[in-house]
Amino acid sequence: MNESNLSKVDLNLLKSLRALIEERHVGRAAKKMNVSQSAMSHTLAKLRGVFDDPLFTRNAKGLEPTSRAIELSDKLRFILTEIDSLLAPKRLDLTQVHTHFRIQTHDFILASYLSKAFSSIKPEAPNILFDIKTLDNSAYEKLDNGELEMIIGAGLKAKPRFMQKRLIDEGLVCLLDKANPVLKNWTAEAIFYQPHIKSSLLDERDDPVSQYGIRMGLPKRQIGFLTEALNLQLPLLPDSDLIAFLPESIAQQGARNYGLEIKTCPFPLPALTIRGMWHERHQNDILHSWIREKISDSFSITTR
């Protein structure tokens, strides 16, 4: 450990640098740190001396980080999070917690599981603001740079710095109108002569229904509708010849709310493994661990 390097900087200086990197504007960073704009400008000058780098260049919108500032960003976020964890009290008073917890997930997971978790969390920790967004390709990057606290979804790919937990394995079933004529001849071939609803987010190479049809030489799959969210498929099925292939939990909602028929698929479909994922920086965080446990518990509650 180089004591001379440590003597150059204090915690507020590092927090100010984080604010400048996040806001990219002296005025907004000053407001975030609750100091005057002139004080933040003085802090920036000091930071430039500490790191022997301009750190930012000015542009029309405010500040543009240099490559050195970008390099420091991830390390800085990790260091401040660890310091925060180090100084956090061992006992957690949930009634006094005020925090913003951001999650990317699938719509059906929110409807089938997470809503139960939030219902159990709110009475104990009423000031946690959950921010739920649809799972997309930006999730891993956002989890890495601290813009998300968790990803909860199917088909997640682990990275070394990400922690994960298997929450449940969901079976895939067929959902259709009770008057659909295919029910009189429930075979794999008959299913492929009917129009299907498909997720627009699922690549053909990863779609087990499409791949089964190709392997077995069945008729080309007819796609009657594409939907981004699986919940959007439910109202499209009544009074139609469409077939949807859905996780059992959302199919149960379709049966209850729309009077639809759930059928076991006549050909094998792999189970859908749902996992929770978070960055290693949060592994030992008391609050994060408590929320993860509540979320995990919600997946053990039967949806039937």
Side-chain angles (χ1 to χ4, degrees):
M1 182 183 294
N2 192 327
E3 297 291 344
S4 63
N5 284 341
L6 286 176
S7 66
K8 293 179 183 178
V9 68
D10 62 34
L11 185 57
N12 282 330
L13 208 57
L14 294 178
K15 288 169 70 176
S16 294
L17 177 55
R18 180 176 65 178
L20 285 162
I21 291 171
E22 289 175 350
E23 299 298 331
R24 302 192 178 194
H25 192 279
V26 171
R28 290 197 298 268
K31 187 175 180 181
K32 192 168 191 174
M33 292 296 296
N34 199 27
V35 298
S36 67
Q37 187 164 334
S38 61
M40 184 57 72
S41 296
H42 177 74
T43 297
L44 176 55
K46 190 172 181 180
L47 283 164
R48 284 168 167 159
V50 168
F51 290 100
D52 192 25
D53 187 90
L55 296 176
F56 300 92
T57 57
R58 295 194 179 276
N59 60 27
K61 293 182 179 180
L63 300 175
E64 181 70 26
T66 65
S67 58
R68 175 64 169 148
I70 293 170
E71 176 192 343
L72 289 169
S73 179
D74 283 344
K75 294 177 183 178
L76 187 63
R77 189 176 289 108
F78 179 78
I79 289 167
L80 290 175
T81 300
E82 287 298 299
I83 291 173
D84 212 25
S85 176
L86 181 68
L87 299 176
K90 289 186 178 180
R91 297 181 67 87
L92 188 64
D93 184 353
L94 293 168
T95 62
Q96 299 303 309
V97 170
H98 290 73
T99 193
H100 192 178
F101 199 95
R102 299 155 297 184
I103 300 173
Q104 276 201 16
T105 189
H106 300 299
D107 60 300
F108 81 92
I109 294 176
L110 176 60
S112 300
Y113 302 105
L114 294 182
S115 57
K116 299 181 181 69
F118 301 146
S119 293
S120 69
I121 288 170
K122 280 298 182 181
E124 297 183 64
N127 299 310
I128 296 177
L129 176 60
F130 286 98
D131 185 352
I132 312 300
K133 298 188 184 301
T134 302
L135 188 58
D136 61 29
N137 292 332
S138 70
Y140 298 117
E141 180 183 353
K142 287 182 176 178
L143 193 64
D144 220 2
N145 65 25
E147 294 179 65
L148 283 179
E149 276 63 57
M150 279 191 80
I151 303 171
I152 302 171
L156 300 183
K157 299 174 183 178
K159 295 186 178 182
R161 58 191 172 278
F162 293 164
M163 315 300 291
Q164 65 172 308
K165 180 179 181 179
R166 185 182 67 79
L167 297 170
I168 199 168
D169 291 325
E170 269 231 52
L172 292 175
V173 296
C174 296
L175 189 67
L176 62 166
D177 187 85
K178 287 185 175 180
N180 193 315
V182 76
L183 289 169
K184 297 176 182 177
N185 180 29
W186 190 245
T187 63
E189 186 171 2
I191 283 176
F192 272 81
Y193 279 106
Q194 295 292 115
H196 299 171
I197 307 181
K198 182 179 179 297
S199 167
S200 59
L201 300 179
L202 190 60
D203 189 277
E204 281 292 291
R205 294 170 297 179
D206 300 322
D207 190 317
V209 178
S210 297
Q211 291 306 307
Y212 176 83
I214 292 169
R215 287 198 309 273
M216 302 306 292
L218 291 170
K220 185 177 179 181
R221 189 178 180 191
Q222 300 178 53
I223 305 300
F225 276 96
L226 290 169
T227 66
E228 185 174 84
L230 296 185
N231 275 327
L232 295 178
Q233 297 188 13
L234 302 184
L236 297 172
L237 291 166
D239 303 316
S240 79
D241 291 343
L242 294 162
I243 303 173
F245 301 83
L246 295 168
E248 192 167 359
S249 63
I250 192 171
Q252 292 287 345
Q253 293 176 41
R256 286 194 301 269
N257 299 332
Y258 295 93
L260 297 168
E261 181 84 10
I262 298 174
K263 290 286 287 183
T264 301
C265 192
F267 51 88
L269 292 174
L272 199 65
T273 298
I274 298 173
R275 293 185 174 88
M277 188 175 289
W278 60 96
H279 199 283
E280 62 184 359
R281 71 171 75 90
H282 291 131
Q283 176 65 8
N284 298 315
D285 181 274
I286 299 173
L287 178 61
H288 201 286
S289 297
W290 181 79
I291 294 173
R292 293 198 308 264
E293 184 177 350
K294 286 288 190 180
I295 287 173
S296 181
D297 288 346
S298 72
F299 282 82
S300 65
I301 301 171
T302 179
T303 60
R304 293 167 180 76

